[in-house]
Amino acid sequence: MNARSLRLRLLAGGAIAIFIALVVAWFAMTFLFERHLQRREADELTHDALQLIAGLHIDASGVPVTSTPPADPRYKLPASGFYWQISTVKQASHSRSLWDQALPAAPDTHDTSWQTRVIAGPFNQNLLVLERRVHLNNDSGGVFVQFARNEAAIGEARAEFGHELLLFLLGLWAVLSAAAALQVELGLRPLTKLRHALTALRANPSERLTVTDHPPEVEHLTRAINSLAEAREKDLLRARRRAADLAHGLKTPLAVLAAQSRRIRETHGLDSADGLDQAIAAAGAAIEAELARARAAAARRRIDMVRAQIVDVAESVIGVIERTETGARLVFEVAVPDDLRLRTSNEELAEILGALIENAARYAKRRVRVSASTDDASTQLNVEDDGPGIDERRMEEALTRGSRLDETGTGHGLGLAIARDLVEARGGTIALGRSDLGGLSVAMIFKADSD
């Protein structure tokens, strides 16, 4: 897929945007999950703390004690990660799980509401601590109550949750990317339809895009294309008319020059008359070529709906050339399947074959052959003769407009060039080579979508 493809850009942009959004969601959801676990831990610590406070008092020696310690046995297991501690300014008591360690006091020991924080505690454990100050019997200092739990369990739960969430979000990313691809495909479908409409417009200049067949978002584009097509058609029509008018306008002066040539010849000015006749013939050939192109251009209208039967056109052209002095001495062969057709008009195919068969007849010794073959990819049309042929180094030159390889002949170097113009206008290619008859072989290849 082309890197400049709009479809690729939309798919890549959508996949990347979804991926970034899901990465942000992963971080946010794991953070919220951790906060939720901490709140749950804090609620459980509060429950244990309230149980301890219910039996809290200070004995005669000033040591804080409780008659209702938490029932969870983990508070009695050293370094278990479950700790409590009650302390005054002078003395402190703590759970057996703290063993010979102690919880650090809070920065503000006068707060009487429950507070939570995470600290580095005993036994190299990170602890979630719930703490507050409790006043008993109107004592001035009160008792500072602390409950703590190891944060490792929360970290493990967060890691497990994050891993499972990651797998889920990767699957979700694949599903959402597929949905985005489907959305892109559906969104670009009007452009595909527009492309097919443009193909028809290219084949037929008079065709126009139907605005109502396309969504409103493409409406302005279709109107602009229609305006451009109308302007192009008008320009082409004016150009064809000007070429035809010029060609017809030159015919009268050429006829006058031909009459002058005859008068000069009658007065025995043969050399001057021959030179003038050659100039008139060259100008006449150029005019006929332009008229042929104008007729072929006009025949291209609705060309996509027309298919020329090759064998009929070839035989028709050969029938005309056989009546000429040059064609009467030749044998013409047509090896074309009867049902083989080419997507072009009869007039345009006649212009192509006429230029090539006439050129072949001019140089052939005895035979001219027209053949054709087709497959799934292309249709090939060949015109061959048994003449002297063309040197391989000069074949490209022979296709150039106005080029003459035989300066002694009567041609004007336009036949092959005209055929090349018309073949390429139909999306085909033309190539010169050596025929098995011994002379020149002209091969025209039209792609399957053009035939």
Side-chain angles (χ1 to χ4, degrees):
M1 187 178 293
N2 195 312
R4 295 181 297 170
S5 168
L6 181 60
R7 177 181 283 101
L8 178 61
R9 292 182 182 183
L10 291 174
L11 290 176
I16 292 172
I18 293 171
F19 181 80
I20 293 174
L22 293 180
V23 169
V24 173
W26 183 85
F27 281 107
M29 294 175 72
T30 52
F31 172 76
L32 293 175
F33 179 74
E34 183 178 21
R35 290 287 302 273
H36 172 73
L37 291 179
Q38 289 177 345
R39 284 195 297 270
R40 292 290 301 272
E41 290 283 337
D43 290 341
E44 293 180 8
L45 290 173
T46 302
H47 177 269
D48 293 344
L50 291 176
Q51 181 182 347
L52 181 143
I53 292 173
L56 181 62
H57 63 278
I58 299 176
D59 63 11
S61 61
V63 177
V65 295
T66 180
S67 59
T68 56
D72 195 325
R74 288 174 291 185
Y75 286 105
K76 299 178 181 180
L77 182 65
S80 65
F82 284 70
Y83 313 110
W84 60 263
Q85 178 176 290
I86 51 179
S87 56
T88 63
V89 178
K90 298 179 181 180
Q91 299 288 338
S93 298
H94 56 69
S95 62
R96 184 177 178 81
S97 58
L98 275 174
W99 199 245
D100 59 349
Q101 301 291 318
L103 298 176
D108 181 8
T109 59
H110 300 286
D111 199 334
T112 59
S113 61
W114 292 112
Q115 302 292 326
T116 58
R117 59 187 175 121
V118 178
I119 64 171
F123 311 110
N124 295 322
Q125 297 175 346
N126 287 330
L127 302 178
L128 174 66
V129 179
L130 176 75
E131 55 195 9
R132 64 166 289 189
R133 185 167 294 280
V134 178
H135 294 280
L136 301 174
N137 303 323
N138 296 322
D139 60 331
S140 57
V143 180
F144 191 59
V145 180
Q146 292 176 291
F147 273 76
R149 285 190 182 180
N150 192 351
E151 269 241 311
I154 296 178
E156 292 174 0
R158 180 184 183 276
E160 292 176 0
F161 175 78
H163 177 71
E164 294 178 358
L165 179 63
L166 177 63
L167 297 178
F168 169 76
L169 292 181
L170 287 176
L172 182 60
W173 176 70
V175 172
L176 292 179
S177 297
L182 178 61
Q183 182 182 14
V184 169
E185 190 65 30
L186 293 176
L188 293 180
R189 186 164 295 176
L191 295 182
T192 303
K193 185 178 181 181
L194 181 61
R195 177 170 59 85
H196 293 315
L198 286 175
T199 302
L201 178 61
R202 182 179 62 180
N204 181 16
S206 63
E207 189 78 20
R208 292 295 178 269
L209 303 180
T210 305
V211 177
T212 56
D213 288 346
H214 303 281
E217 291 80 5
V218 188
E219 181 177 341
H220 295 294
L221 178 60
T222 55
R223 292 185 185 277
I225 292 174
N226 284 339
S227 299
L228 180 63
E230 290 176 2
R232 185 191 71 168
E233 185 179 21
K234 291 178 181 178
D235 290 341
L236 290 175
L237 181 60
R238 283 193 294 268
R240 288 197 296 268
R241 286 175 177 174
R242 288 172 183 171
D245 291 344
L246 176 62
H248 285 295
L250 289 175
K251 277 192 171 183
T252 299
L254 288 176
V256 173
L257 289 175
Q260 294 293 333
S261 175
R262 287 194 298 272
R263 293 191 186 97
I264 294 173
R265 192 179 299 277
E266 290 172 357
T267 59
H268 305 289
L270 298 180
D271 292 339
S272 298
D274 290 342
L276 187 57
D277 286 344
Q278 290 178 0
I280 294 172
I287 291 173
E288 290 299 327
E290 290 303 322
L291 288 176
R293 289 190 179 89
R295 290 193 298 271
R300 289 193 191 102
R301 302 174 65 91
R302 302 304 299 171
I303 203 68
D304 56 319
M305 303 298 293
V306 177
R307 288 180 178 267
Q309 191 164 6
I310 299 177
V311 64
D312 291 346
V313 175
E315 290 177 350
S316 176
V317 171
I318 290 173
V320 173
I321 295 178
E322 282 179 331
R323 296 187 180 94
T324 65
E325 182 180 353
T326 301
R329 60 181 179 81
L330 300 175
V331 175
F332 292 90
E333 302 175 12
V334 179
V336 179
D338 293 339
D339 59 346
L340 185 57
R341 295 177 179 270
L342 196 66
R343 185 180 295 175
T344 184
S345 65
N346 289 337
E347 293 83 355
E348 183 166 309
L349 183 58
E351 294 290 347
I352 296 173
L353 291 179
L356 295 179
I357 296 176
E358 183 181 1
N359 185 78
R362 183 179 299 118
Y363 296 102
K365 297 176 182 177
R366 182 62 181 166
R367 297 172 60 193
V368 173
R369 181 170 65 198
V370 179
S371 61
S373 60
T374 186
D375 54 31
D376 294 337
S378 62
T379 295
Q380 180 168 332
L381 186 58
N382 301 306
V383 177
E384 305 166 82
D385 63 70
D386 60 352
I390 300 176
D391 188 273
E392 291 184 1
R393 293 172 296 178
R394 305 192 67 186
M395 286 183 178
E396 183 62 28
E397 181 183 351
L399 294 173
T400 304
R401 183 187 302 275
S403 174
R404 289 187 57 194
L405 305 184
D406 180 11
E407 298 295 340
T408 63
T410 59
H412 304 284
L414 288 169
L416 293 176
I418 292 174
R420 179 180 188 176
D421 289 344
L422 294 175
V423 169
E424 291 181 349
R426 289 262 48 83
T429 58
I430 187 170
L432 304 184
R434 176 67 65 176
S435 169
D436 58 7
L437 298 179
L440 179 66
S441 171
V442 182
M444 295 160 284
I445 302 174
F446 300 88
K447 293 181 180 180
D449 57 358
S450 298
D451 56 31

